[in-house]
Amino acid sequence: MELCDRNISELAEMLRRGDVSSKEITESVFARISEKEDTINAYITTTYDSAMKQADMADKRFRKGGDIPLLNGIPIAVKDIICTKGIPTTCGSKILSDFVPTYNATAVEKLLGDGAVIVGKANMDEFGMGSSTENSVAGPTRNPLNTECVAGGSSGGSAAAVAAGEAIGAVGTDTGGSIRQPAAYCGVVGIKPTYGRVSRYGLISYASSLDQIGAIGKTVRDCAVLMDSMAGHDPLDTTSAQVKKPGFLNSLNKEIQGLRIGLPKEYFVEGLDPNIKERIETAVSLLEEKGAHVVEISLPHASYAVSSYYLIATAEASSNLARYDGVKYGYRSEAVSDAVTMYETTRRIGFGREVKRRIMLGSYVLSAGYYDAYYLKAQKARTLIKEDFDRAFEKVDAIVTPVSPCLPFKLGEKLEDPLRMYLVDIYTVSLNLSGLPGMSVNCGTVEGLPVGMQIIGRAFDEATVFQVGHAFEESTGSK
Ligand code: GLN
């Protein structure tokens, strides 16, 4: 097995024993990048020189000794919507193609503080808008498990990098499923924490009330290591929560005996691929064997999730993306005869098709006369969806659902039909609307394509999500 195919926990141990150096691990990751990138396209930018310097620093830290963080010397990919000082941060968009931040996002700052090695900026749907990583100006990312299929999105580059050994762990963002769904499609683990758990400072906004930074790794344990590093209150983000960080690694070895797990009946209906349903049911029976009590629950407003999500997300996006006008950031059109022409052509050329579609939809639902009918209604539905979860969590400790109604699909298959693409998010968006934490773990394959199981927890109870995810991984003997 190559070093780049190992997980964070294995490598952390090898580093501690002095069996390998961070430089060797980082070289192994870059060798894999050279081998695979032409096909996979997981990265928009790779950072060999600075990564080797960071690896060298990590190795020095080991030589010095003392209490060393688990991430020290571990190569990590960062989604290209998260600011990295001195490294281009493009959001997969032409409009930010030459944007180089002068500061690090808080999450990146924390990872670097713990000694992580940043190997590059991962490919993504433009501004996080998409479910397949086909909406990137850098071209699509392919699924390492089947290169005719999409990697999922929008954090497709992050998930594909981890699955292909082009990074050991990765950072993604999730506005409506963009960590969980690509993790499911690439057969790795991904967690979207509770809204407010990880600082959004330095995360370029798509829909601010839904966006969260989270982790992608080969195992549940690896995600816990990444989350332990990134989580925590940050005075630079007013929506970051003032709650104690429990230490996610500590929650892994708790028994799930007696834990109550809910299966929402509205999620297992027509439209869900029967093969996926079967894999989830098998997975749930494994949890039952470990002592969990499985109960049917109801989330009666589930059918409003996709429509309210796409109204709220586009409304917020239309406002957030108003700042790209060719004056303050990035790309500016040459057509500068007058200010208005400059704004118009900059935005017409700078944004891709999907982004423009959403800006138009978002401006429409916020406009006078339509605001009450669409935006306000969507906000009311959002409250109902959240209250469904509140009621369910009176009866259960965690909820289990599929991540996606379908298997990874072929490149191009849904690109011309935005509604079909939006429906892929049916099981993930309700968590962003409610702010709840959710994880995707692999629960088998169908004809070689991976199936993801979603584990949902109460707000700020990622610990239970980790506990269930880890217990499941152990029961399958996969980790
Ligand atoms: N697919 C969803 C969207 O396009 C979710 C994207 C995300 O979570 N960033 O909005």
Side-chain angles (χ1 to χ4, degrees):
M1 192 193 264
E2 303 285 332
L3 289 172
C4 62
D5 291 315
R6 295 191 177 274
N7 63 43
I8 297 179
S9 314
E10 289 167 343
L11 292 170
E13 238 181 86
M14 291 168 79
L15 283 164
R16 269 155 193 74
R17 285 200 304 263
D19 293 351
V20 284
S21 66
S22 171
K23 275 171 126 175
E24 287 168 316
I25 300 170
T26 308
E27 287 288 7
S28 165
V29 165
F30 277 101
R32 181 61 58 80
I33 291 176
S34 319
E35 183 194 327
K36 293 257 171 119
E37 254 317 76
D38 280 353
T39 339
I40 304 297
N41 199 27
Y43 287 101
I44 295 179
T45 307
T46 51
T47 50
Y48 180 82
D49 292 341
S50 59
M52 289 317 289
K53 275 193 205 127
Q54 288 163 358
D56 190 45
M57 268 161 53
D59 286 331
K60 286 204 178 102
R61 199 160 168 182
F62 278 119
R63 283 196 291 276
K64 250 175 91 189
D67 201 9
I68 297 170
L70 284 166
L71 277 178
N72 190 54
I74 304 289
I76 301 293
V78 177
K79 187 177 182 180
D80 210 23
I81 196 167
I82 300 172
C83 286
T84 40
K85 185 176 174 180
I87 307 171
T89 299
T90 71
C91 290
S93 182
K94 181 176 170 65
I95 213 150
L96 283 179
S97 50
D98 60 4
F99 174 55
V100 182
T102 53
Y103 65 102
N104 281 324
T106 298
V108 169
E109 204 53 42
K110 288 187 176 219
L111 292 169
L112 288 173
D114 284 343
V117 172
I118 292 181
V119 287
K121 301 299 295 290
N123 199 6
M124 54 178 286
D125 286 300
E126 188 175 0
F127 286 99
M129 298 176 191
S131 310
S132 64
T133 314
E134 292 171 292
N135 300 329
S136 166
V137 73
T141 295
R142 286 173 184 271
N143 192 318
L145 304 178
N146 179 338
T147 53
E148 284 175 20
C149 292
V150 300
S154 63
S155 311
S158 301
V162 173
E166 294 187 45
I168 309 299
V171 184
T173 64
D174 193 312
T175 305
S178 282
I179 288 176
R180 291 158 284 157
Q181 186 254 19
Y185 281 16
C186 294
V188 293
V189 181
I191 177 158
K192 174 202 105 69
T194 312
Y195 186 82
R197 179 63 97 181
V198 176
S199 167
R200 289 186 301 115
Y201 179 74
L203 161 61
I204 296 174
S205 299
Y206 159 13
S208 317
S209 78
L210 305 160
D211 298 340
Q212 257 300 283
I213 293 179
I216 296 178
K218 291 196 182 90
T219 63
V220 174
R221 179 178 294 276
D222 283 7
C223 285
V225 173
L226 288 163
M227 281 300 303
D228 275 337
S229 174
M230 291 190 292
H233 176 249
D234 178 12
L236 296 174
D237 171 8
T238 50
T239 61
S240 124
Q242 302 244 25
V243 287
K244 248 189 91 202
K245 189 162 110 170
F248 301 115
L249 263 182
N250 300 334
S251 57
L252 294 184
N253 291 323
K254 282 205 211 119
E255 295 286 323
I256 61 162
Q257 174 77 38
L259 214 71
R260 298 162 306 167
I261 293 180
L263 299 181
K265 61 173 192 239
E266 293 81 1
Y267 279 44
F268 294 87
V269 290
E270 221 189 294
L272 169 63
D273 181 326
N275 290 310
I276 296 181
K277 181 166 184 265
E278 198 261 332
R279 295 295 181 284
I280 304 284
E281 282 164 0
T282 311
V284 168
S285 61
L286 285 175
L287 293 173
E288 261 182 315
E289 275 171 32
K290 289 208 130 194
H293 296 305
V294 176
V295 279
E296 188 183 86
I297 55 162
S298 174
L299 299 170
H301 299 94
S303 59
Y304 299 115
V306 170
S307 33
S308 19
Y309 169 80
Y310 274 96
L311 294 174
I312 293 169
T314 55
E316 292 187 24
S318 72
S319 159
N320 274 327
L321 270 57
R323 72 191 72 175
Y324 306 106
D325 56 6
V327 177
K328 301 186 270 311
Y329 298 89
Y331 171 75
R332 172 190 291 190
S333 154
E334 296 296 313
V336 288
S337 55
D338 59 273
V340 174
T341 317
M342 193 279 284
Y343 295 148
E344 282 175 358
T345 40
T346 294
R347 288 168 68 82
R348 187 175 70 240
I349 299 170
F351 288 133
R353 257 186 350 158
E354 184 60 26
V355 171
K356 282 187 275 201
R357 178 181 295 128
R358 298 204 185 187
I359 292 174
M360 286 191 287
L361 182 59
S363 312
Y364 178 80
V365 304
L366 287 177
S367 55
Y370 296 105
Y371 182 93
D372 289 1
Y374 295 109
Y375 182 71
L376 203 62
K377 246 220 192 104
Q379 292 290 19
K380 288 179 179 166
R382 179 181 194 167
T383 302
L384 295 173
I385 289 165
K386 185 187 170 292
E387 286 171 356
D388 283 354
F389 279 110
D390 290 345
R391 265 190 297 275
F393 279 119
E394 284 170 11
K395 286 197 221 117
V396 295
D397 305 300
I399 296 173
V400 165
T401 75
V403 173
S404 166
C406 59
L407 293 164
F409 43 94
K410 295 259 159 62
L411 277 113
E413 193 183 311
K414 296 187 200 279
L415 208 53
E416 297 308 318
D417 190 346
L419 275 183
R420 273 180 72 210
M421 188 73 94
Y422 298 170
L423 280 171
V424 171
D425 305 332
I426 191 155
Y427 298 132
T428 47
V429 291
S430 49
L431 278 68
N432 303 75
L433 291 170
S434 320
L436 301 176
M439 174 186 277
S440 170
V441 290
N442 178 266
C443 65
T445 55
V446 177
E447 286 161 23
L449 294 172
V451 176
M453 170 167 80
Q454 177 167 246
I455 305 163
I456 309 169
R458 295 188 182 98
F460 297 106
D461 188 20
E462 290 88 355
T464 300
V465 173
F466 274 113
Q467 188 187 349
V468 176
H470 185 67
F472 175 70
E473 253 181 11
E474 279 198 321
S475 71
T476 59
S478 63
K479 303 286 145 36

